[in-house]
């Protein structure tokens, strides 16, 4: 069978490959050569490429170093300019407020007394503010309520439930028709007191902060400024509920703000130990005030609008003059070893009321830097205080759940 298969194959193989390709043109002679002789040249080329890369990297490094050096020189020049400016300021500051007023007669001891006690909150009171109608005030407590009071009769006019008990601030609008609050929920809630809802619900909720709301103050019934633990302040349009401007130059939590009497600037106080003055017309920080050594908890404009006071965890209050761009005076005493929680001025500005981390409100002569009274009546920390727009009454709020009206 194998032989048969082989015979069949040979019968079908009618030609061979050599016979079939005999007419095909022959190939030219192979001319490939050994390339080992060019190895040295290729090595030289590779070395040159490496040198070029190294040169480029060295130039790049030198350029980056030159930028760093230039930045360092610029920083050094800026520091020298700051020193020069500070020296010029000190050279021109030929006196201090305390020295200038040393011949001024001292104030008589402050003799105001507690005239009313407002009871109704069930937990610590954290914030309060008077309305501009001189008689009403709003308070915020950790019982989750805003209460609007009649300061004369001590009656509760409104009790507004809040979305969170962790409230830190409240405010009255200039017309007295709206109140606002905020806290750890990061939201500023606006309430219309003319609403027919029972209980009153928020008419606007302003949401853009990513940290707790530490303070809010109305510019008008249509605009409000807020400060936050996210290191920013924001200006809002109340009607649309949208953010107009963000003020972001602090490097620590912003704890408080105060709007100037002219309502075109405001000052903010922060845990970065600075106070900053902002121009609402340009949306820029125009001045920075330093001096405190610990967190600044509160700030309040002087009635004239040309100065403001700050209170800090370093146990001191300080008065800063905007025109002089410097600190004028410190308010501190050896027996006071608590942080400041809140500040307020009398209408004339001569008296400054300061609440501390205890139950006593200290009264200072703002010009001479002397204590001229202590207001005792609360049983626990006084967390907030404010003077009515006519200057006839001082209100204080405390962790003992009560508010007191002093006159």
């Amino acid at each position: 069978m194998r032989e048969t298969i082989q015979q069949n194959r040979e019968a079908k193989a009618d030609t061979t490959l050599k016979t079939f390709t005999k007419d095909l043109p022959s190939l030219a002679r192979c001319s490939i050569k050994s390339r080992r002789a060019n190895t040295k040249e290729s090595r030289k080329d590779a070395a040159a490429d490496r040198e070029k890369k190294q040169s480029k990297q060295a130039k790049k490094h030198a350029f980056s170093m030159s930028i760093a050096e230039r930045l360092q020189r610029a920083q050094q020049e800026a520091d020298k300019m700051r020193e020069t400016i500070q020296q010029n300021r000190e050279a021109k500051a030929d006196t201090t407020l305390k020295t200038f007023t040393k011949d001024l007669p001292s104030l008589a001891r402050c003799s105001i007394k507690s005239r009313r006690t407002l009871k109704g909150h069930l937990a610590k009171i954290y914030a309060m503010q008077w309305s501009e109608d001189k008689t009403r005030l709003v308070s915020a407590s950790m019982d989750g309520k805003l209460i609007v009071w009649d300061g004369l009769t001590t009656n509760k006019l409104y009790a507004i439930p809040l979305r969170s008990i962790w409230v830190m601030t409240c405010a009255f609008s200039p017309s007295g028709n709206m109140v606002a609050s905020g806290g750890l929920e990061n939201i500023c809630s606006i309430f219309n007191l003319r609403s027919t809802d029972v209980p009153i619900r928020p008419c606007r909720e302003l949401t853009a902060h990513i940290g707790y709301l530490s303070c809010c103050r109305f510019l008008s019934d249509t605009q409000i400024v807020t400060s936050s633990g996210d290191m920013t302040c924001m200006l809002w349009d109340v009607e649309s509920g949208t953010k107009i401007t963000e003020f972001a130059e602090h490097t620590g939590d912003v704890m408080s703000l105060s709007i100037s009497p002219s309502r075109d600037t405001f000052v903010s106080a922060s845990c970065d130990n600075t106070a900053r003055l902002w121009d609402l017309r340009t949306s820029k920080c125009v001045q920075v005030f330093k001096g405190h050594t610990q967190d600044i908890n509160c700030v309040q404009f002087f009635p004239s609008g040309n100065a403001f006071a700050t209170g800090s965890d370093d146990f001191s209050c300080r008065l800063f003059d905007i025109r002089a761009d410097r600190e004028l005076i410190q308010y501190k005493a050896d027996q006071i070893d608590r942080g400041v929680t809140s500040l307020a001025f009398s209408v004339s500005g001569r008296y400054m009321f300061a609440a501390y981390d205890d139950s006593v409100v200290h009264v200072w002569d703002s010009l001479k830097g002397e204590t001229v009274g202590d207001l005792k009546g609360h049983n626990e920390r006084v967390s907030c205080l404010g003077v009515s727009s006519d200057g006839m009454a001082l209100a204080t709020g405390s962790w003992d759940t009560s508010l007191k009206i002093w006159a």
Side-chain angles (χ1 to χ4, degrees):
M1 187 180 286
R2 289 192 185 94
E3 290 177 2
T4 305
I5 293 170
Q6 184 64 27
Q7 289 171 0
N8 290 338
R9 282 178 179 171
E10 290 176 355
K12 292 179 180 180
D14 55 349
T15 186
T16 64
L17 179 62
K18 202 165 187 177
T19 304
F20 183 78
T21 59
K22 66 180 180 178
D23 297 327
L24 194 67
S26 298
L27 287 173
R29 192 161 185 81
C30 180
S31 60
I32 62 172
K33 296 180 182 179
S34 171
R35 301 300 179 183
R36 291 182 179 275
N38 294 329
T39 303
K40 292 183 179 180
E41 294 180 3
S42 62
R43 286 176 181 173
K44 288 181 181 179
D45 293 341
D49 290 340
R50 283 196 298 272
E51 287 178 1
K52 286 181 180 178
K53 287 181 181 178
Q54 289 173 355
S55 177
K56 286 182 179 179
Q57 289 175 352
K59 287 180 180 178
K60 189 175 180 180
H61 180 67
F63 182 69
S64 63
M65 286 293 290
S66 65
I67 291 177
E69 288 174 359
R70 278 183 279 176
L71 287 172
Q72 187 176 2
R73 287 174 190 164
Q75 184 63 46
Q76 290 173 351
E77 289 178 6
D79 292 339
K80 287 180 181 178
M81 289 177 69
R82 288 193 189 96
E83 289 178 6
T84 304
I85 292 170
Q86 186 63 30
Q87 289 170 0
N88 290 337
R89 282 180 182 167
E90 290 174 358
K92 292 180 179 179
D94 54 352
T95 187
T96 64
L97 183 61
K98 207 164 188 176
T99 303
F100 187 75
T101 59
K102 66 180 180 180
D103 297 328
L104 194 68
S106 296
L107 286 174
R109 190 145 186 94
C110 182
S111 60
I112 63 174
K113 298 178 181 179
S114 175
R115 308 294 181 179
R116 302 278 191 281
T117 300
L118 309 182
K119 294 183 177 181
H121 283 298
L122 304 176
K124 297 174 181 177
I125 295 171
Y126 264 86
M128 60 78 52
Q129 190 183 29
W130 286 92
S131 71
E132 293 191 5
D133 64 11
K134 310 170 189 175
T135 58
R136 293 184 300 162
L137 60 152
V138 62
S139 60
S141 166
M142 287 188 68
D143 60 10
K145 295 287 192 301
L146 277 185
I147 296 181
V148 179
W149 308 81
D150 185 314
L152 291 176
T153 65
T154 72
N155 290 336
K156 303 175 193 66
L157 304 179
Y158 303 94
I160 303 170
L162 303 174
R163 65 158 54 226
S164 169
I165 65 171
W166 305 105
V167 63
M168 297 181 69
T169 183
C170 61
F172 239 122
S173 69
S175 69
N177 294 328
M178 289 187 289
V179 292
S181 71
L184 297 188
E185 77 276 24
N186 306 353
I187 297 172
C188 181
S189 301
I190 312 293
F191 301 89
N192 190 339
L193 298 181
R194 292 185 174 182
S195 171
T196 57
D197 294 339
V198 180
I200 297 175
R201 296 183 178 85
C203 62
R204 288 288 182 276
E205 290 189 329
L206 311 179
T207 57
H209 284 296
I210 57 174
Y212 60 85
L213 204 77
S214 59
C215 189
C216 61
R217 290 293 180 262
F218 280 95
L219 270 178
S220 65
D221 278 22
T222 59
Q223 291 185 330
I224 191 170
V225 183
T226 58
S227 62
S228 170
D230 63 11
M231 302 187 289
T232 68
C233 299
M234 293 184 185
L235 173 64
W236 303 82
D237 184 290
V238 174
E239 292 182 349
S240 64
T242 57
K243 179 181 70 175
I244 299 173
T245 309
E246 181 174 328
F247 306 89
E249 289 191 27
H250 278 294
T251 57
D253 297 9
V254 185
M255 300 304 298
S256 181
L257 65 89
S258 180
I259 295 172
S260 68
S262 62
R263 296 191 178 273
D264 53 16
T265 60
F266 75 93
V267 64
S268 59
S270 169
C271 292
D272 62 11
N273 305 348
T274 68
R276 291 178 181 267
L277 182 70
W278 306 86
D279 192 323
L280 287 162
R281 296 159 296 187
T282 62
S283 304
K284 292 181 179 179
C285 176
V286 291
Q287 284 173 272
V288 181
F289 298 87
K290 300 179 181 180
H292 284 291
T293 57
Q294 294 191 42
D295 300 354
I296 304 177
N297 298 320
C298 52
V299 62
Q300 183 62 45
F301 259 102
F302 196 77
S304 68
N306 294 322
F308 63 87
T310 54
S312 168
D313 280 342
D314 63 12
F315 312 153
S316 74
C317 302
R318 300 177 189 233
L319 185 68
F320 294 92
D321 189 278
I322 294 171
R323 295 168 298 182
D325 193 30
R326 63 181 293 113
E327 178 187 308
L328 292 181
I329 193 171
Q330 292 186 32
Y331 308 94
K332 58 192 305 184
D334 293 338
Q335 68 272 20
I336 299 175
D337 57 356
R338 303 293 179 95
V340 187
T341 60
S342 189
L343 290 171
F345 285 101
S346 63
V347 170
S348 67
R350 186 68 190 271
Y351 287 107
M352 186 184 76
F353 303 95
Y356 294 77
D357 283 331
D358 57 20
S359 59
V360 181
V361 174
H362 294 277
V363 187
W364 295 89
D365 182 335
S366 64
L367 293 182
K368 297 178 75 67
E370 302 169 348
T371 55
V372 292
D374 298 319
L375 307 183
K376 299 178 180 179
H378 287 291
N379 299 322
E380 293 188 39
R381 168 182 173 174
V382 179
S383 55
C384 53
L385 55 77
V387 175
S388 62
S389 59
D390 61 357
M392 300 301 292
L394 169 74
T396 56
S398 170
W399 282 11
D400 63 13
T401 75
S402 71
L403 294 109
K404 290 185 179 292
I405 308 295
W406 307 76

